[in-house]
Amino acid sequence: MNQFLSVAREAALVAGKVVMEIRRSNDLGIRIKEDNTPVSRADLAAQEAILTTLHRYFNHQVRSEELPYAEGVFVGKDSPETWILDPIDGTEEFISGGDAFSISIAYAYRGEVLAGVVYAPALEQLYHAARGEGAFLNDQPVHVRPIQNLEEASLLLTPEQRQREIYQKILHTLRVKPRIRKLSISLKAAFIACGEANLYIKRGPTNEWDIAAGDLLIQEARGILTDLSGRRIVYTDKDPRHILGLCAGNKSLQPKALKMLQKGLT
């Protein structure tokens, strides 16, 4: 296991312990941020635990949902080495008492993710991947399912997405079956990587920290993830919300779905 992955795993496990301790205390310290999304005491404590762990080993740039640039502690914006993290992906799920939230940590060099961890502490699921070394769930190798035909495939949706007109249109266009699960974005990517569903499609902007680790998981599980124009994601943009939609699946289904979406939803 390479050094970056080892440290990412350590940071995720430490943060997971902190998050679960705060959850058991019932003192979540919830407030609403300027973008009208919630943040809890656990988000900030998990971020601090991750930053402390990373700083013990490295002096790299960091991007985080709760701290877009950790300047003054880590190397500034010109560093080619970047840690991209979401202390709690799925804060609303965490606050509501659900289990489908995750901690997402990725290491990128010049925009390419080389190591990534997605940890769901309440589910006791630790996904990890390193470039060229495969994808794993709790240290067991995982792969995308090798389905060839869209008619046999399932599309991963949340209950809320299932009710939206655009996703009903996507289901109709692709003629796929819905696979309904309430999951954080990084856990959706992990579910594709381990074959729990065959396609994941997201409309609208996506933050880098939500998908960076999951992107590598899918690639190392023999799948592919692009934006809705078909471009692979490079994690160097100054605006972390530069990713315009997502389409993930195996290397046979994903291009077929993307082509049909580009024709059917324009």
Side-chain angles (χ1 to χ4, degrees), residues 216-250:
L216 182 62
L217 281 172
I218 290 171
Q219 291 182 53
E220 288 298 313
R222 303 174 187 168
I224 184 171
L225 181 144
T226 69
D227 65 18
L228 290 180
S229 70
R231 290 190 295 262
R232 299 293 287 269
I233 299 165
V234 179
Y235 296 90
T236 57
D237 202 282
K238 293 181 180 179
D239 178 6
R241 288 178 61 84
H242 70 96
I243 305 166
L244 299 179
L246 300 170
C247 183
N250 70 36

Side-chain angles (χ1 to χ4, degrees), residues 85 98 118 121:
L85 57 100
V118 175

Side-chain angles (χ1 to χ4, degrees), residues 40-65:
S40 73
R41 186 166 69 92
D43 291 84
L44 302 178
Q47 177 172 263
E48 181 62 28
I50 295 168
L51 294 179
T52 298
T53 303
L54 296 180
H55 193 221
R56 193 178 303 132
Y57 299 95
F58 305 114
N59 192 35
H60 298 157
Q61 172 184 323
V62 173
R63 280 191 174 194
S64 170
E65 180 172 13

Side-chain angles (χ1 to χ4, degrees), residues 8-9 11-13 15-17 19-20 23 86-90 93-94 98-105 117-128 136-138 181-188 190-191 217:
R9 282 171 56 104
L13 289 168
K17 183 178 180 181
V19 166
M20 296 307 290
R23 185 182 202 181
D86 192 342
I88 299 182
D89 181 15
E93 172 77 355
F94 170 77
D99 292 337
F101 61 90
S102 52
I103 295 160
S104 179
I105 304 175
V117 171
V118 175
Y119 180 39
L123 300 174
E124 298 183 345
Q125 294 177 351
L126 178 66
Y127 301 84
H128 78 259
F136 298 83
L137 165 58
N138 293 340
R181 285 293 302 266
K182 191 170 181 64
L183 299 167
S184 66
I185 293 175
S186 56
L187 274 180
K188 289 172 186 170
F191 265 50
L217 281 172

Side-chain angles (χ1 to χ4, degrees), residues 9 31 41 98 120 175 246 252-253 256 265:
R9 282 171 56 104
R31 63 179 177 83
R41 186 166 69 92
R175 300 184 183 278
L246 300 170
S252 176
L253 288 180
K256 294 175 184 176
L265 299 181

